[in-house]
Amino acid sequence: MTVEMLTEITNVEFGKMINAAAATLAANAEKINKLNVFPVPDGDTGTNMSLSMASGAQYERDVLETDISALAKATAKGLLMGARGNSGVILSQIFRGFANSVEGKQTLSARDLADALMSGAQTAYKSVMKPTEGTILTVIREAAAQANQSAKETDNVVDLMADVTQAAQIALNKTPDLLPVLKEVGVVDSGGQGLMFVLQAFYQVLSDNFDEEAIQAPDNAELDQMVKKLHAGAQADANLSPDDIEYGYCTEIMVQIGQGTTFDHDFDYDTFYQHLAQLGDSLLVINDDEIVKVHVHTENPGEVLSWGTHYGSLVKVKVDNMRDQQQAVIDAQRAEEAKKSRLQMTAPVSDTAVITIAAGDGVAALFKSLGVHTVISGGQTMNPSTADIVTAIEKSGAKKAIIVPNNSNIFMAAEQAKEISETPVVVVKTRTIQQGLTAMLGYNPNADLSDNAENMLDMIGDVKSGQITHAVRDTTLNGQKIANGDYLGIVDGEIVVNSNKLFTTAENTVKSMLDDESEIVTIIFGEQAKARDAKKLAEFIESIDEDIEVEVHDGGQPLYPFLIAVE
């Protein structure tokens, strides 16, 4: 049913809008990821926006107040802490501006909604040092402008959001005209597409057309969160023997009350609950008029299922063996302790903690050998959130911190962490692992933050960064025809080589990086390469110029068989 007239957004509609947006982004994350301009296997805009919005939705669900002001503030805080990648940070800034605009409001009128969207657009633009048109910024600006115009003509928030989504779609479709690289590759802006899903979800909720079955919104999050809290303590105790677990099966069912051929009991909560309470512990039962959801730890999962069928039709069944899960926790902790024992290379404690982001045990070991205090696992395929970086700063216990992101898509989250942290922080904006390693050569644990930042940035001026990976789709970029599966040689952000052979790509990439002033080449081989491959590449380099010094390291990084630095 379509709502023809709605003049006020209450806490009920707002909560549904935020959670629907989170669910829609989650369902379409991979579609957004595939809009990555570079056809490499680390497109993560959809993942970043989805995880950022999920954090905002979780904060919104945790608020007990019912005024829009409190809900919007919580959503913005959740997005801020959960923001990943530049797209996630910009999304958080849109909601930050939204929340500032609705401060003190119990509900939202059409005018209020338009003002909030305009404030969101303005805040997002201010958060970017050099705003680029043809991106998410363009889409939110055009959407907000239409909201402002529509609010002059209607009090109906449904009509206003219909106009907003239409304007946003037009703006999104025009992004290739504003960014030529989008037109060449044949895609729209990925961040803009993510925002489009958010605005569409808002409209679908307000018009009562959001399909909660087709896209499972986080309406079941209450039980899920309670279950996670129940399990968190037990799973954290790796000293617990699996044999000491009294009730070994974590059992969850969902029953559609009064439906199906086995239904023979009218639902009564107390009766339903008391019988299950006799079958185990950690019992949770949540119900509405149509569905009852159950979580219980038991030795008799079959009896739990049987009891549920008396009250209706089973629509979900999940049984996990907790003894096996506990053994897995023990094994994982032992493996982690063994790994830590191999990597006891943490820098001596000083007033300054250097925090970097990298993937691969070998790469992490290289950073720690150069004085890095904390390596946050992540980078190309999983950008850390603002909260991840803030937590690393706090846990370091240092009086000041330096963040070395090694990826331009982490810059904004790092800057947000800098603003939030009570510890003085500088961000040394390294774009690659190679730049990060070279920057560490300029780090002095006894120097102040500004001197360190200056010296570390000076170090990366002469390093060239090469990456070898593979294409995940057919495309044409900068006039180069690239086939799905081709190996790609990327130098300082530009694809310079592509072929169907790994070693040919690596050779030609290195040749494009070398010049008369080249002295040192560092090869870091990853999961998809072997030591003999790196040795062969090193021998090739030495055959070109025997005076060049070649270093080889096992980085263990995913997706990139070779990372190459030339200095």
Side-chain angles (χ1 to χ4, degrees):
M1 181 182 75
T2 301
V3 176
E4 294 182 358
M5 186 68 182
L6 182 66
T7 59
E8 184 180 67
I9 296 175
T10 69
N11 62 302
V12 175
E13 288 83 20
F14 187 81
K16 288 182 178 180
M17 289 162 66
I18 297 302
N19 285 277
T24 303
L25 280 174
N28 291 281
E30 190 55 33
K31 178 178 180 180
I32 300 169
N33 286 342
K34 290 180 180 178
L35 296 175
N36 188 23
V37 170
F38 271 17
V40 294
D42 58 15
D44 49 16
T45 301
T47 302
N48 286 337
M49 295 187 77
S50 173
L51 292 173
S52 302
M53 195 71 212
S55 177
Q58 183 61 60
Y59 272 60
E60 186 277 334
R61 290 195 296 271
D62 289 343
V63 173
L64 299 178
E65 293 95 328
T66 58
D67 58 288
I68 293 291
S69 176
L71 297 176
K73 184 178 180 180
T75 302
K77 179 64 178 297
L79 272 156
L80 172 68
M81 298 307 293
R84 297 171 187 267
N86 294 341
S87 55
V89 173
I90 293 173
L91 187 65
S92 77
Q93 294 303 305
I94 291 172
F95 279 92
R96 177 184 175 188
F98 190 107
N100 289 340
S101 177
V102 304
E103 186 173 357
K105 296 186 183 296
Q106 293 287 329
T107 61
L108 297 184
S109 65
R111 181 69 266 169
D112 293 334
L113 179 58
D115 290 343
L117 289 171
M118 287 194 297
S119 177
Q122 291 165 3
T123 303
Y125 266 86
K126 289 178 182 177
S127 71
V128 180
M129 185 175 296
K130 295 181 180 180
T132 301
E133 296 301 332
T135 66
I136 183 176
L137 294 173
T138 304
V139 178
I140 187 59
R141 189 194 70 239
E142 293 297 319
Q146 181 59 57
N148 183 44
Q149 181 60 39
S150 296
K152 298 175 183 177
E153 302 168 0
T154 181
D155 295 329
N156 187 352
V157 294
V158 181
D159 287 345
L160 184 145
M161 277 308 303
D163 294 343
V164 166
T165 54
Q166 183 177 18
Q169 187 64 62
I170 293 172
L172 178 64
N173 293 343
K174 288 182 178 178
T175 56
D177 296 327
L178 298 172
L179 278 180
V181 67
L182 296 177
K183 177 171 284 188
E184 182 181 14
V185 177
V187 297
V188 295
D189 178 66
S190 55
Q193 179 63 76
L195 178 62
M196 189 68 221
F197 282 124
V198 171
L199 298 175
Q200 286 174 334
F202 283 7
Y203 171 63
Q204 288 167 355
V205 167
L206 293 176
S207 61
D208 202 21
N209 281 316
F210 185 72
D211 188 349
E212 297 184 21
E213 293 183 0
I215 303 176
Q216 185 178 352
D219 292 3
N220 298 324
E222 183 179 1
L223 180 64
D224 294 341
Q225 291 304 314
M226 292 169 72
V227 168
K228 287 179 181 177
K229 289 176 182 177
L230 269 175
H231 288 178
Q235 290 180 345
D237 184 7
N239 295 318
L240 176 66
S241 169
D243 295 335
D244 293 335
I245 297 176
E246 182 178 2
Y247 298 106
Y249 295 95
C250 174
T251 305
E252 295 180 43
I253 63 171
M254 186 183 299
V255 181
Q256 194 166 8
I257 299 172
Q259 302 296 316
T261 58
T262 60
F263 160 63
D264 57 14
H265 286 43
D266 290 331
F267 184 77
D268 175 76
Y269 184 90
D270 290 337
T271 302
F272 186 82
Y273 184 97
Q274 290 303 324
H275 180 76
L276 291 172
Q278 299 173 23
L279 301 180
D281 62 11
S282 299
L283 176 63
L284 299 171
V285 177
I286 296 175
N287 74 287
D288 56 23
D289 293 337
E290 297 179 353
I291 294 288
V292 59
K293 306 164 193 173
V294 175
H295 168 276
V296 64
H297 294 174
T298 181
E299 283 293 278
N300 299 292
E303 191 167 345
V304 176
L305 273 61
S306 176
W307 183 242
T309 60
H310 286 296
Y311 290 87
S313 175
L314 294 177
V315 293
K316 173 187 175 183
V317 174
K318 183 173 181 286
V319 180
D320 292 322
N321 187 322
M322 294 191 297
R323 295 186 181 96
D324 288 348
Q325 290 178 330
Q326 180 61 17
Q327 187 61 53
V329 170
I330 294 171
D331 293 344
Q333 179 156 325
R334 287 173 178 168
E336 182 64 22
E337 289 173 352
K339 183 176 77 172
K340 286 181 179 178
S341 69
R342 295 193 304 269
L343 298 177
Q344 289 299 318
M345 304 174 70
T346 302
V349 176
S350 71
D351 287 344
T352 305
V354 182
I355 296 161
T356 195
I357 296 90
D361 289 347
V363 174
L366 285 171
F367 273 113
K368 292 207 168 190
S369 71
L370 293 170
V372 167
H373 180 278
T374 302
V375 179
I376 301 174
S377 180
Q380 293 295 83
T381 55
M382 178 58 70
N383 300 148
S385 67
T386 301
D388 291 334
I389 301 173
V390 171
T391 298
I393 295 169
E394 293 174 347
K395 284 188 175 181
S396 74
K399 296 179 181 179
K400 50 194 175 183
I402 300 171
I403 302 172
V404 183
N406 305 326
N407 188 321
S408 60
N409 204 33
I410 304 175
F411 288 176
M412 294 185 74
E415 290 290 349
Q416 285 204 152
K418 173 184 173 180
E419 292 181 15
I420 294 170
S421 177
E422 295 180 1
T423 302
V425 175
V426 294
V427 180
V428 177
K429 293 184 177 179
T430 54
R431 296 177 177 272
T432 65
I433 293 294
Q434 299 93 310
Q435 285 188 353
L437 291 169
T438 303
M440 286 304 299
L441 299 177
Y443 169 64
N444 179 354
N446 299 314
D448 62 30
L449 287 180
S450 60
D451 286 344
N452 262 323
E454 183 178 351
N455 292 336
M456 292 170 77
L457 284 173
D458 284 345
M459 292 299 299
I460 67 176
D462 295 327
V463 64
K464 299 176 185 177
S465 300
Q467 301 165 311
I468 309 300
T469 187
H470 67 277
V472 294
R473 68 171 185 272
D474 296 339
T475 190
T476 299
L477 185 62
N478 295 328
Q480 297 181 75
K481 288 187 177 181
I482 298 169
N484 184 18
D486 274 0
Y487 287 100
L488 305 175
I490 303 170
V491 177
D492 292 328
E494 297 289 333
I495 297 175
V496 297
V497 177
N498 70 287
S499 79
N500 59 6
K501 296 185 183 301
L502 172 60
F503 204 76
T504 299
T505 304
E507 285 181 335
N508 290 332
T509 300
V510 170
K511 283 196 290 187
S512 75
M513 299 170 70
L514 296 175
D515 57 34
D516 292 340
E517 297 182 358
S518 300
E519 296 178 350
I520 302 173
V521 177
T522 303
I523 301 169
I524 304 173
F525 65 94
E527 292 178 344
Q528 298 172 346
K530 295 180 172 60
R532 64 172 180 268
D533 300 321
K535 181 181 179 182
K536 182 180 177 182
L537 182 59
E539 290 171 349
F540 167 77
I541 296 168
E542 290 166 348
S543 72
I544 296 176
D545 186 345
E546 61 182 13
D547 293 329
I548 290 179
E549 179 183 344
V550 182
E551 297 181 4
V552 176
H553 300 279
D554 181 357
Q557 70 273 7
L559 302 179
Y560 290 81
F562 293 115
L563 299 176
I564 303 163
V566 175
E567 301 173 67

